[in-house]
């Protein structure tokens, strides 16, 4: 324990009796180690009539107790710098207890397999954190280790968890290597970043800092003053390693503007192919850029309206070669295995061309009209897929809507021109309410089996029409006699995303129904269990919401 | 007392859980969903029906005002005690959201409560206690026989130690575990479980890393001291003789006059080996200033019966065991259900803490540690681990390497570099933090 008394304090004087055997502890340990047969005891321990081992044990007992009784505290080291104060109001007690409960739930430690009727608490943690952050509460210090451990295991949780954890979590992360991720995830938290206005200090850190520090510096500066960040990057650009150039270039996504174009144009001639293609991608996201213009004219020359046939039809003439200029603009010349070169090049051109190109080029039609046009020679899938990627990249709601089509359309369930994954991405460009209505319409016509990805992009809590569509579809699936675990993905989403107010309507579904003759055996009670868990989870979410009211002003 | 006054926090309820899976399962049932007909009474009873996977809901009752700690009854087949239903029920009761309204217990709950009360009355009335002198005679005979066996065991152990030191403890590194296991088994036969446990530990020391020769000599010396204490117990002062008897492993009986106090529940933690779970509960009497230790045991896989929620205070009688430094006590009558409190134990400085341990060793040289509350210490990181430093920054106690990391980090997080009050066990291996209170107001934060 503390420090051996021999160092911290002089050994206590031997007690009173003159001639008391007295030998050092080290001597005793050596004698014990070698054995009294091999090594004679110090003369002081010789007692007539007592065997050497016993005399040794007697003395060792005295010294052991004396050593322990004489223990003193150790000299203190310098204490850590105190953590920065957290000005946010503390959690209400009920919310603090709820958080503690949510954090004791570790995935994978439970009964495994079937999930039973109890809610999955860990799944509610992200919502809890989002709400606590929205309300502006600060984290209770004693729960920070559990919170950091949870965030360590789940990267998706980190941004919310670290925001909630606040300054003391960063203080802790500097003390425990397990939580280093917190310093990485919070730019600038690991080092004291100079103020963005402190030019000499910024320049010094840029030139001498570690890679992570430099990324943090560039990211911070970019958010503060995009031009200054770009100018800083220019100062050393030529000497950076290729992987570093790629990371630095990526930081320009924040605050990307026409002012970045000359720099990006220059990066199109970079030695590294990854840097070149990232630069091209960034430029194509700037519709006014020269690159976007070049791509537009290349793409436009490939697609035309054929007025000769009875109905106007789109004809496609894919590029015959990938010339040096195209390659310089980021077009990858080599297609992946199994794809034709020409369609590969076409896809890249259309994807990078500003969508506004098409209305002018194709007879001033609206996006919906363009998408509705028949396409000659099986080019439809290729062309529509490229437009989808362009609509996602350029976040174009009108084009997204046009490409999605009507939710009830027969080919909306795929495998039509547009895959479910692409539909999900297109949905993200629509306003939340429209998105929810589209998915509700989709579920009403096509059922749940294809809906998982689409539900994932809908805002939480689900709107009333969307929630009703999901519950109705689950009810239909139950009546059809299948097992609930065929729908466990949607069930899990519903637990997290349904409006808690739906709990009342769902109550009736928790009863165990009479089993129809053709139903799967036992399915009824499993469905009851699944609905029970759904209701319980919704109640829990309502409780969580009630426990996190907006903080009292001035609290 | 009203219900509102004694309502627990969820942490306190979860502290009752016998293990982590129960805590988790209980947490999930701590919401209104599966419960119906739940209610609670002013007398400290909580009941409810919990929907399980079967068609018939489980009937769950908890009597939190029982004088021997909370009592549970549930119609579920779980062997955990308390079961997840009892925990879940207490959690929604603790939540206080109106799901558990005040009321009269339903018939099925009342039945159980009435039978418990009847039994409790029976226990308390002296007539129920049989006093048979013939039995006492036989018991004395058994005790003498046992003492003889222990004496034989102690002498054999002395011989073993002498042989070891004659040959040198270096040889212990090769001879390994088996030899000590065999001796430990002899001590079990000699009905001296205390000696047996110490001998078993001796066997583990040679493989315990750097510094083992010192530790082995220390522990050999203390076993020797205990053997000698037993062999000369009639020459020892009464209290020291009692300490020796209990260290050897003879069952002790509580015998001090009962002490009624307001006891703060400072800590509760379990240690388990393959056969037995031992639960330690540390209490601090706010009037007497006494620290007391309640021990409770559970066979393998079963949680010990006694559970008290950390951070609450209970008005109760404790009966101490014989021995001057004996901290162990039994929980007697409870006069009210445990209730939240803002009281904290007073703290000492680090040098006072080691002095307290040193003084305690005078009466019980076999003590591994002594319970102390440190006032205003700051956790600080050294090259070899953590320490708790006095606020003036001069002296510090190292945190024991065996202290659970989870609790230690909770302590560090709670501190944030500022001083706080920490209760724990201070011994020759370092300080093991068990509970802490932040600066200013704030509830007890359990660290174990």
């Amino acid at each position: 324990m503390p420090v051996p008394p021999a160092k911290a304090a002089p050994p206590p004087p031997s007690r009173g009796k003159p001639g008391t055997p007295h030998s050092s502890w080290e001597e005793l340990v050596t004698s014990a180690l070698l054995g009294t047969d091999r090594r004679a005891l110090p003369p002081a321990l010789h007692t007539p009539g007592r065997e050497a081992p016993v005399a040794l044990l007697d003395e060792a007992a005295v010294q052991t107790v004396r050593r322990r009784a004489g223990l003193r505290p150790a000299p203190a080291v310098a204490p850590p710098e105190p953590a920065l104060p957290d000005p946010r109001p503390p959690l209400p007690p009920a919310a603090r207890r709820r958080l503690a409960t949510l954090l004791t739930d570790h995935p994978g430690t439970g009964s495994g397999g079937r999930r039973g009727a109890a809610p999955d608490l860990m799944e509610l943690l992200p919502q809890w954190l989002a709400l606590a952050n929205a309300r502006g509460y600060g984290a209770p210090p004693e729960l920070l280790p559990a919170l950091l451990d949870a965030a360590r295991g789940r990267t998706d949780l980190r941004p919310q968890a670290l925001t909630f954890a606040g300054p003391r979590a960063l203080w802790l992360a500097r003390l425990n290597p397990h939580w280093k991720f917190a310093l990485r995830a919070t730019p600038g938290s690991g080092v004291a970043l100079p103020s963005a206005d402190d030019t000499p200090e910024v320049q010094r850190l840029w030139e001498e800092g570690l890679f992570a520090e430099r990324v943090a510096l560039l990211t911070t500066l970019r958010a503060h003053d995009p031009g200054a960040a770009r100018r800083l990057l220019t100062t050393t650009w030529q000497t950076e390693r290729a992987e570093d150039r790629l990371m630095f270039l990526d930081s320009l996504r924040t605050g990307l503007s026409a002012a970045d174009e000359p720099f990006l144009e220059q990066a199109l001639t970079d030695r590294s192919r990854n840097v070149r293609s990232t630069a091209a991608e960034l430029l194509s996201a700037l519709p006014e850029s020269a690159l976007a213009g070049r791509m537009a004219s290349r793409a436009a020359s490939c697609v035309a309206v054929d007025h000769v046939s009875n109905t106007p039809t789109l004809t496609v003439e894919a590029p015959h070669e990938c010339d040096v200029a195209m390659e310089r603009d980021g077009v990858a010349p080599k297609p992946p295995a199994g794809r034709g070169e020409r369609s590969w090049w076409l896809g890249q051109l259309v994807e990078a061309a500003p969508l506004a190109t098409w209305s002018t080029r194709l007879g001033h039609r609206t996006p919906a009209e363009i998408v509705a046009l028949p396409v000659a020679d099986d080019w439809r899938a290729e062309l529509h897929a490229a437009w989808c990627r362009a609509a996602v990249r350029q976040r174009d709601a009108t084009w997204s809507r046009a490409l999605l089509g009507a939710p009830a359309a027969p080919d909306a369930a795929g495998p039509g021109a547009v895959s479910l994954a692409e539909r999900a991405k297109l949905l993200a460009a629509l306003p939340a309410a429209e998105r929810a209505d589209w998915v509700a319409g989709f579920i009403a016509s096509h059922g749940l089996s294809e809906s998982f990805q689409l539900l994932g992009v809908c805002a939480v809590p689900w709107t009333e029409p969307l929630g009703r569509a999901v519950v109705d579809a689950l009810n239909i699936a139950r009546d059809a006699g299948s097992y609930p675990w065929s729908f466990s993905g949607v069930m899990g989403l519903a637990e997290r995303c349904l409006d808690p107010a739906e709990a009342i309507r769902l109550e009736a579904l928790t009863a165990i129904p009479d089993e129809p003759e053709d139903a799967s055996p036992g399915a009824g009670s499993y469905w009851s269990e699944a609905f029970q868990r759904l209701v319980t989870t919704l109640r829990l979410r309502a409780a969580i919401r009630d426990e996190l009211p907006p903080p009292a002003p001035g609290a | 007392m009203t219900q509102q006054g004694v309502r627990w926090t969820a942490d306190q309820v979860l502290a009752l859980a016998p293990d982590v899976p129960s805590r988790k399962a209980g947490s999930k049932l701590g919401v209104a969903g599966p419960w119906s007909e739940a209610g609670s009474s002013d007398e400290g009873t909580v009941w409810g029906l919990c929907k399980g996977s079967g068609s018939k809901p489980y009937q769950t009752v908890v009597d939190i005002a029982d004088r021997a700690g909370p009592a549970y009854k549930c119609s579920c087949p779980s062997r955990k005690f308390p079961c997840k239903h009892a925990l879940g029920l207490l959690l929604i009761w603790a939540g206080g959201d109106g799901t558990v309204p005040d009321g009269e217990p339903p018939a099925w709950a009342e039945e159980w409560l009435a039978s418990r009360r009847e039994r409790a009355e029976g226990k308390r009335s002296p007539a129920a206690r049989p006093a048979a002198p013939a039995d006492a005679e036989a018991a004395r005979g058994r005790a003498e026989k046992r003492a003889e066996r222990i004496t034989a065991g102690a002498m054999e152990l002395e011989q073993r130690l002498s042989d070891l030191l004659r040959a040198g403890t270096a040889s212990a590194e090769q001879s390994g575990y088996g030899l000590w296991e065999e001796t430990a088994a002899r001590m079990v036969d000699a009905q001296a479980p205390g000696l047996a446990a110490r001998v078993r530990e001796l066997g583990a020391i040679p493989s315990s890393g750097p510094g083992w020769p010192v530790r082995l000599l220390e522990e050999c010396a203390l076993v020797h001291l205990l053997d000698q204490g037993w062999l000369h117990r009639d020459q020892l002062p009464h209290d020291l003789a009692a300490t020796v008897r209990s260290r050897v492993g003879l069952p002790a009986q509580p015998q001090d006059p009962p002490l009624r106090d307001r006891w703060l529940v400072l800590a509760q933690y379990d240690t388990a080996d393959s056969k037995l779970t031992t639960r330690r509960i540390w209490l601090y009497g706010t009037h007497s200033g006494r620290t007391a230790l309640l021990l409770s045991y559970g066979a393998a896989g079963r949680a010990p019966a006694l559970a008290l929620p950390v951070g609450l205070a209970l008005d109760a009688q404790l009966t101490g065991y014989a021995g001057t430094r004996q901290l162990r006590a039994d929980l007697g009558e409870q006069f009210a259900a445990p209730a939240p409190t803002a009281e904290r134990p007073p703290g000492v400085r680090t040098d006072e803490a080691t002095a307290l341990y040193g003084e305690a060793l005078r009466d019980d040289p076999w003590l591994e540690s002594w319970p102390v509350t440190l006032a205003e210490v700051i956790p600080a990181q050294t090259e070899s681990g953590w320490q708790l430093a006095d606020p003036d920054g001069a002296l510090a106690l190292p945190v024991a390497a065996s202290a659970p990391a989870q609790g230690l980090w909770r302590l560090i997080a709670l501190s944030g570099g500022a001083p706080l009050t920490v209760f724990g066990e201070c011994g020759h291996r370092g300080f093991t933090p068990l509970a802490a209170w932040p600066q200013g107001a704030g509830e007890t934060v359990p660290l174990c």
Side-chain angles (χ1 to χ4, degrees):
Chain A
M1 132 104 178
V3 277
K7 280 184 204 152
S14 59
R15 277 167 229 166
K17 276 194 285 171
T20 299
H22 190 79
S23 63
S24 82
W25 174 247
E26 284 75 16
E27 268 181 280
L28 289 179
V29 175
T30 310
S31 299
L33 202 53
L34 298 177
T36 53
D37 278 355
R38 231 161 296 167
R39 186 185 165 102
L41 285 185
L45 292 186
H46 289 301
T47 320
R50 188 174 295 184
E51 287 181 44
V54 176
L56 176 59
L57 283 169
D58 279 348
E59 178 63 10
V62 170
Q63 293 220 18
T64 297
V65 178
R66 185 188 291 166
R67 275 158 56 87
R68 290 185 180 180
L71 284 170
R72 302 282 168 81
V77 299
E81 268 312 293
L84 288 175
D86 189 340
R88 297 174 295 177
L91 282 178
R96 187 172 51 77
R97 291 194 288 271
R98 181 72 64 195
L99 175 61
T101 312
L102 296 182
L103 287 173
T104 51
D105 196 53
H106 294 297
T109 56
S111 44
R114 205 161 59 81
R115 291 179 56 213
D120 195 345
L121 296 178
M122 202 64 177
E123 288 303 315
L124 295 179
L125 192 54
Q127 279 192 9
W128 190 98
L129 289 169
L131 191 55
N133 284 336
R135 301 285 196 235
Y137 286 110
E142 69 274 15
L143 294 181
L144 287 177
L147 187 62
L148 285 168
D149 282 343
R152 182 181 175 215
R154 279 184 56 175
T155 38
D156 61 313
L157 213 59
R158 285 184 188 174
Q160 292 278 20
L162 290 174
T163 303
F164 177 65
R168 190 167 294 195
L170 299 179
W171 180 87
L172 275 172
R174 280 185 212 115
L175 299 170
N176 188 334
H178 281 140
W179 298 328
K180 260 202 191 122
F181 69 86
L183 302 177
R184 286 198 302 271
T186 318
S189 56
V191 279
L193 281 184
S195 130
D197 310 325
D198 185 354
T199 319
E201 194 46 34
V202 164
Q203 192 69 40
R204 192 194 62 76
L205 186 61
W206 179 248
E207 279 160 14
E208 298 169 14
L210 301 169
F211 176 67
E213 291 168 349
R214 302 179 70 205
V215 171
L217 177 71
L218 193 65
T219 310
T220 314
L221 197 57
R222 180 72 181 178
H224 179 84
D225 180 352
R230 191 187 58 248
R231 282 191 294 278
L232 185 69
L233 184 53
T234 324
T235 58
T236 58
W237 180 252
Q238 296 300 331
T239 58
E240 305 287 357
R241 299 181 320 137
E243 308 92 277
D244 295 2
R245 287 203 303 278
L246 190 63
M247 283 293 286
F248 293 145
L249 195 60
D250 215 49
S251 72
L252 296 190
R253 279 182 207 281
T254 317
L256 186 69
S257 77
D260 298 314
E261 194 184 342
F263 177 78
L264 291 171
E265 270 288 337
Q266 204 192 337
L268 284 176
T269 57
D270 199 275
R271 294 186 297 281
S272 150
R273 183 144 60 88
N274 286 333
V275 170
R276 291 199 300 271
S277 66
T278 303
E281 192 204 325
L282 289 173
L283 280 170
S284 73
L286 292 169
E288 307 296 317
S289 69
L291 178 132
R294 292 197 293 274
M295 295 307 260
S297 59
R298 281 185 193 118
S301 72
C302 298
V303 183
V305 185
D306 177 7
H307 293 283
V308 179
S309 47
N310 291 342
T311 46
T313 304
L314 287 181
T315 57
V316 174
E317 177 73 16
H320 289 277
E321 60 165 348
C322 179
D323 59 28
V324 181
M326 273 165 75
E327 217 179 313
R328 184 181 172 276
D329 282 347
V331 176
K334 274 227 174 304
R339 285 202 62 178
E341 282 182 330
R342 295 182 60 200
S343 76
W344 170 244
W345 298 330
L346 173 81
Q348 293 181 77
L349 297 181
V350 173
E351 179 183 351
L355 285 161
T357 311
W358 300 109
S359 182
T360 344
R361 165 76 184 153
L362 304 174
H364 295 280
R365 290 182 165 83
T366 64
E369 286 162 353
I370 293 173
V371 170
L373 286 175
V375 184
D377 302 330
D378 291 340
W379 279 106
R380 185 172 183 260
E382 203 71 55
L383 189 60
H384 281 203
W387 275 333
C388 280
R389 294 196 297 277
V392 169
R393 191 191 285 190
Q394 296 168 35
R395 298 213 179 95
D396 190 311
T398 318
W399 270 91
S400 295
R401 202 171 288 135
L403 288 160
L404 276 166
D411 64 354
V418 178
S419 75
L420 279 168
E422 278 166 328
R423 277 170 204 281
K425 285 189 196 152
L426 290 171
L427 277 169
L430 300 185
E434 191 183 343
R435 213 183 305 165
D437 283 347
W438 196 94
V439 178
F442 180 91
I443 290 172
S445 324
H446 306 289
L448 287 170
S449 48
E450 305 284 341
S451 67
F452 185 76
Q453 265 178 316
L454 305 177
L455 284 169
V457 296
C458 290
V460 176
W462 286 340
T463 61
E464 212 254 311
L466 178 56
R468 193 177 321 152
V470 172
V471 173
D472 287 350
L474 285 171
N475 205 3
I476 290 166
R478 179 181 68 159
D479 291 345
S482 50
Y483 283 118
W485 37 85
S486 313
F487 301 91
S488 60
V490 173
M491 259 303 182
L493 269 183
E495 286 167 30
R496 271 169 285 155
C497 306
L498 264 183
D499 192 321
E502 301 282 323
I504 301 159
R505 288 207 306 128
L506 283 165
E507 197 72 67
L509 296 175
T510 62
I512 299 175
D514 295 329
E515 267 182 30
E517 268 174 32
D518 55 346
S520 315
S525 61
Y526 290 129
W527 274 104
S528 155
E529 200 173 77
F531 278 117
Q532 201 182 312
R533 184 176 65 236
L534 182 55
V535 171
T536 310
T537 308
L538 294 183
R539 289 248 161 77
L540 197 55
R541 283 175 48 215
I544 283 173
R545 211 176 43 191
D546 294 345
E547 286 160 3
L548 283 167
Chain B
M1 191 179 313
T2 68
Q3 272 288 284
Q4 220 54 43
V6 300
R7 187 151 280 156
W8 299 359
T9 67
D11 299 343
Q12 289 156 348
V13 172
L14 289 173
L16 302 173
D19 50 28
V20 174
S22 304
R23 186 176 308 186
K24 187 180 151 192
S27 298
K28 290 178 176 174
L29 290 173
V31 287
W35 291 95
S36 57
E37 293 174 40
S40 64
S41 76
D42 278 354
E43 287 80 53
T45 314
V46 190
W47 60 85
L49 298 177
C50 187
K51 195 166 159 43
S53 47
S55 57
K56 200 170 173 322
Y58 296 124
Q59 301 173 334
T60 313
V61 208
V62 184
D63 186 359
I64 49 164
D66 190 77
R67 59 200 199 92
Y72 318 90
K73 159 87 178 168
C74 185
S75 60
C76 79
S78 168
R79 271 189 239 164
K80 296 277 176 63
F81 198 78
C83 66
K84 60 183 179 179
H85 306 102
L87 291 170
L89 178 62
L90 283 177
L91 279 175
I92 51 168
W93 166 74
D97 59 358
T99 318
V100 184
D102 289 350
E104 287 298 314
W108 53 266
E110 185 55 48
E111 210 172 289
W112 176 68
L113 289 166
S115 75
R116 282 182 53 74
R117 259 175 243 132
E118 221 166 86
R119 243 179 304 150
E121 285 306 319
K123 253 191 223 166
R124 227 170 299 178
S125 69
R129 212 172 263 182
D135 281 2
E137 190 64 36
R140 193 157 36 242
R142 280 197 301 276
E144 269 165 29
K145 203 158 271 164
R146 182 169 183 184
E148 278 165 29
R149 284 185 166 182
I150 295 175
T151 301
M155 285 166 72
E156 188 186 336
L157 188 51
E158 282 292 270
Q159 192 56 52
R160 254 314 262 120
L161 290 173
S162 285
D163 291 350
L164 174 68
L165 288 172
R166 199 169 281 125
T169 52
S171 65
E173 214 178 4
Q174 290 107 50
S175 61
Y177 215 77
L179 209 55
W180 290 112
E181 263 309 309
E182 189 194 314
T183 313
R186 297 271 185 75
M187 295 305 118
V188 172
D189 292 344
Q191 292 184 302
L195 286 179
R198 282 185 175 270
V199 170
R200 226 171 269 130
E201 273 168 38
L202 287 185
I205 292 176
S207 57
S208 67
W212 70 264
V214 169
R215 286 194 293 279
L216 184 58
L217 180 58
E218 284 183 337
E219 293 309 320
C220 284
L222 289 174
V223 172
H224 168 69
L225 191 64
L226 187 53
D227 284 337
Q228 292 299 323
W230 171 263
L231 297 173
H232 301 97
R233 62 191 182 282
D234 46 352
Q235 296 161 37
L236 295 179
H238 175 266
D239 279 336
L240 187 55
T243 301
V244 168
R245 272 194 291 272
S246 87
R247 289 279 175 201
V248 164
L250 283 179
Q253 293 300 324
Q255 59 177 34
D256 287 0
L259 176 62
R260 179 173 175 178
D261 203 335
R262 226 175 108 70
W263 298 97
L264 306 184
V265 186
L266 299 181
Q268 169 180 314
Y269 67 97
D270 294 348
T271 48
D273 60 26
S274 55
K275 287 176 191 143
L276 194 70
T277 302
T278 305
R279 174 167 293 169
R280 289 178 172 78
I281 301 176
W282 284 111
L283 300 176
Y284 175 81
T286 50
H287 300 304
S288 63
R290 284 264 298 268
T291 303
L293 176 65
L294 304 180
L295 287 179
S296 175
Y297 300 95
R302 290 200 64 137
L306 185 61
L308 291 172
V310 169
L312 297 197
L314 60 152
D315 178 2
Q317 271 180 348
L318 254 51
T319 315
Y321 282 61
T324 339
R325 291 288 170 171
Q326 185 54 269
L327 295 163
R328 187 173 173 196
D330 274 355
L331 183 60
E333 186 161 2
Q334 263 180 274
F335 302 96
T341 176
E343 280 174 290
R344 301 174 176 190
V348 299
R349 298 174 53 89
T350 56
D351 52 350
E352 293 171 87
T354 49
L356 285 169
Y357 171 59
E359 275 167 36
L361 281 176
R362 191 164 51 207
D363 298 308
D364 183 353
W366 301 278
L367 267 179
E368 288 288 304
S369 61
W370 190 250
V372 286
T373 303
L374 298 174
E376 305 281 290
V377 281
I378 305 173
Q381 199 167 25
T382 74
E383 278 165 19
S384 55
W386 284 81
Q387 59 170 218
L388 300 174
D390 282 329
D392 59 14
L395 296 174
L397 288 177
V399 173
S402 58
Q406 245 184 347
L408 176 61
W409 282 103
R410 216 177 296 154
L411 175 69
I412 295 161
L414 188 65
S415 149
L420 30 66
T421 303
V422 186
F423 169 77
E425 293 165 4
C426 176
H428 62 96
R429 289 175 213 275
F431 186 88
T432 304
L434 297 174
W437 296 264
Q439 246 180 346
E443 292 169 17
T444 314
V445 176
L447 304 177
C448 47

